[in-house]
Amino acid sequence: MMAVTKRHPGRVCVVVLGDVGRSPRMCYHAQSLASRGHPVDVVGYMRKDAEKLAVARSATLYPLWQVPGWISGCPGLLAYLLKALWQAVVLFIILMTLPHFSSLLMQNPPGVPAMPVCWLACRLRRARLVVDWHNYSYTIMALSVGRQSPLVKITRWLEGVFGRRADANLCVTRAMQQDLAKNWGVVAEPLHDRPAARFHPIPPEETHELFVRLGKIYQAFSTTVPDRTAFTERHADGSVALFDDRPGLLVSGTSWTEDEDFSVLLHALQEYESAREEGGHDLPRLVCVITGRGPLKEFYCQLMERKHWNHVEVLTPWLEEDDYPRLLASADLGVSLHTSSSGLDLPMKVVDMFGAGLPVCAFDFKCLSELVEHGENGFVFNSASQLAEQLIAWFRGFPHSQQMAALRRRFRQRIGEFRSQGWEANWERHARHLFDDV
């Protein structure tokens, strides 16, 4: 009889030409692969506390070498070319010196120089290249240099050429799947984002513990009374209750980039403040927590410092990875200002909010209806005034508004249906075969 050879799951290299900690979908990919027995290497830029990331418990991390500071000091076009060359050389060296992998999964964007380098490394190492399309590199670049820039045209050409040469492609929406096929002949499998298991509703006790920790840093969460926060109180029997006269807690996450105009939220908060000042005594004080890091954070923080609000307070903390899901589960409403440079991707922050059971207000764009349905599981807005109207309606009579009770129940039901289709089951159905069939 012939001996049966047992197949072992192949090694997979996951590439992010960006901050791994700010690429949750790629981290989820790595964790799903590792849970199914694949040895996983993650290559990308790592912040100093990268070892605290959940993915570090599932994969081996290989940090990319940072671009030297002198390159940033060069004139614009030269700086871009030198940066791309540096990244290409560093990424190629690391990919060629890693333990042998059978598949490479790369995030796009950024696709240049990642896509050509990953394709070449896969051909030389006889590995399978899988591209996960989160958006388009050329549309993001066009936000800063304009669509007619030669750099944008070259980037678009490179994405099309190497997208067609990939062995397999994933993408984040059905709209992107259709666009890839129509414009570039790229065949992609849509894999909608779903919340990881750590995003889920939590009991009041966990909310209280989170607010106690935040209260040690931010006065908006604290009181001078033992076992009390600005939102919760622990009773003598150990149970926790939320105050009826507590502030409303609004939360938003951002990468502070050009495709999110945070002045929209600031204008909406100004209108909320004005409504409260002009006799809206049934509107609670509002604590707005905006999380994330990014290039435009300092600009918007300076704008917020000029505001002198009596009934709205804005905080911009950086939370521990495990505290972010708890904050979403403890909030009363989420806001997404993601607009998408291509109009073809969906905001991961909304997926996480739904996972935590949190309703959202989301800025409208072409394919948002694949995730947020206005009046069914959240609100959709097109302007600061519309967002302000939604905030005022949601929080009027808070927390026991009879007017909004039916809508809140409907949102909870629809969000519950969304939560029932988790990341793992979705990944198993749409992505696993790309790596198991190697």
Side-chain angles (χ1 to χ4, degrees), residues 388-402:
E389 291 171 4
Q390 292 165 5
L391 297 180
I392 291 168
W394 186 259
F395 285 107
R396 191 177 295 282
F398 177 85
H400 300 300
S401 169
Q402 294 301 315

Side-chain angles (χ1 to χ4, degrees), residues 9-210:
R11 193 176 199 93
V12 180
C13 176
V14 177
V15 174
V16 180
L17 199 64
D19 185 345
V20 171
R22 288 164 58 188
S23 304
R25 178 176 166 105
M26 300 308 289
C27 292
Y28 298 165
H29 275 301
Q31 290 167 288
S32 295
L33 286 161
S35 70
R36 288 156 180 82
H38 294 272
V40 179
D41 300 316
V42 176
V43 177
Y45 290 107
M46 313 284 177
R47 54 180 186 250
K48 292 180 180 178
D49 58 348
E51 70 280 354
K52 296 180 181 179
L53 296 173
V55 71
R57 299 190 286 270
S58 307
T60 304
L61 305 184
Y62 290 87
L64 290 169
W65 310 332
Q66 295 291 337
V67 178
W70 63 266
I71 288 181
S72 301
C74 294
L77 179 59
L78 179 60
Y80 175 82
L81 294 175
L82 289 174
K83 178 182 176 181
L85 179 61
W86 173 273
Q87 291 178 321
V89 171
V90 169
L91 179 59
F92 184 74
I93 290 173
I94 291 178
L95 292 181
M96 294 304 293
T97 55
L98 286 177
H100 184 268
F101 48 86
S102 58
S103 299
L104 185 152
L105 172 64
M106 66 152 287
Q107 171 186 290
N108 182 51
V112 178
M115 200 176 285
V117 172
C118 289
W119 175 83
L120 178 60
C122 285
R123 297 293 81 85
L124 294 174
R125 304 203 67 177
R126 299 188 177 185
R128 181 178 174 86
L129 175 62
V130 182
V131 178
D132 190 18
W133 299 77
H134 298 191
N135 201 344
Y136 295 151
S137 299
Y138 82 92
T139 60
I140 292 178
M141 182 182 293
L143 292 175
S144 56
V145 300
R147 281 187 173 263
Q148 299 308 311
S149 168
L151 287 177
V152 172
K153 294 178 180 178
I154 292 171
T155 300
R156 188 181 190 279
W157 177 78
L158 286 171
E159 282 187 290
V161 167
F162 288 98
R164 287 190 295 272
R165 282 166 171 72
D167 298 290
N169 292 272
L170 295 165
C171 61
V172 293
T173 62
R174 291 187 296 274
M176 182 172 284
Q177 177 194 33
Q178 295 164 6
D179 192 77
L180 284 166
K182 177 181 177 182
N183 293 319
W184 287 335
V186 172
V187 178
E189 172 89 6
L191 174 67
H192 283 94
D193 283 317
R194 286 291 185 270
R198 64 195 184 95
F199 290 94
H200 56 80
I202 62 175
E205 290 76 14
E206 277 193 58
T207 293
H208 179 74
E209 292 168 3
L210 172 66

Side-chain angles (χ1 to χ4, degrees), residues 265-341:
L265 177 56
L266 297 185
H267 288 310
L269 293 175
Q270 179 63 65
E271 291 191 39
Y272 184 95
E273 168 77 10
S274 299
R276 180 68 176 82
E277 287 283 322
E278 294 167 5
H281 299 300
D282 55 351
L283 293 173
R285 186 169 70 86
L286 207 57
V287 175
C288 178
V289 179
I290 305 173
T291 68
R293 293 173 176 168
L296 296 179
K297 181 175 181 178
E298 184 176 350
F299 169 76
Y300 282 110
C301 284
Q302 290 175 355
L303 290 182
M304 289 183 281
E305 287 173 2
R306 298 175 195 158
K307 304 293 183 181
H308 301 287
W309 292 325
N310 296 316
H311 307 286
V312 175
E313 184 169 359
V314 180
L315 307 175
T316 57
W318 176 256
L319 299 171
E320 294 292 332
E321 187 180 20
D322 291 337
D323 278 344
Y324 178 61
R326 296 187 183 105
L327 176 67
L328 296 187
S330 303
D332 301 302
L333 186 66
V335 174
S336 169
L337 295 163
H338 180 85
T339 54
S340 176
S341 62

Side-chain angles (χ1 to χ4, degrees), residues 360-377:
V360 300
C361 299
F363 201 102
D364 195 17
F365 59 90
K366 185 163 66 174
C367 68
L368 184 65
S369 59
E370 290 190 35
L371 180 61
V372 182
E373 300 175 68
H374 183 71
E376 294 295 324
N377 60 5

Side-chain angles (χ1 to χ4, degrees), residues 185-244:
V186 172
V187 178
E189 172 89 6
L191 174 67
H192 283 94
D193 283 317
R194 286 291 185 270
R198 64 195 184 95
F199 290 94
H200 56 80
I202 62 175
E205 290 76 14
E206 277 193 58
T207 293
H208 179 74
E209 292 168 3
L210 172 66
F211 290 166
V212 168
R213 288 198 302 276
L214 292 176
K216 295 176 181 177
I217 308 172
Y218 303 101
Q219 190 175 356
F221 288 93
S222 66
T223 68
T224 57
V225 181
D227 286 330
R228 289 183 65 169
T229 71
F231 301 83
T232 58
E233 178 180 27
R234 185 181 295 279
H235 297 151
D237 63 359
S239 63
V240 171
L242 293 164
F243 295 128
D244 281 350

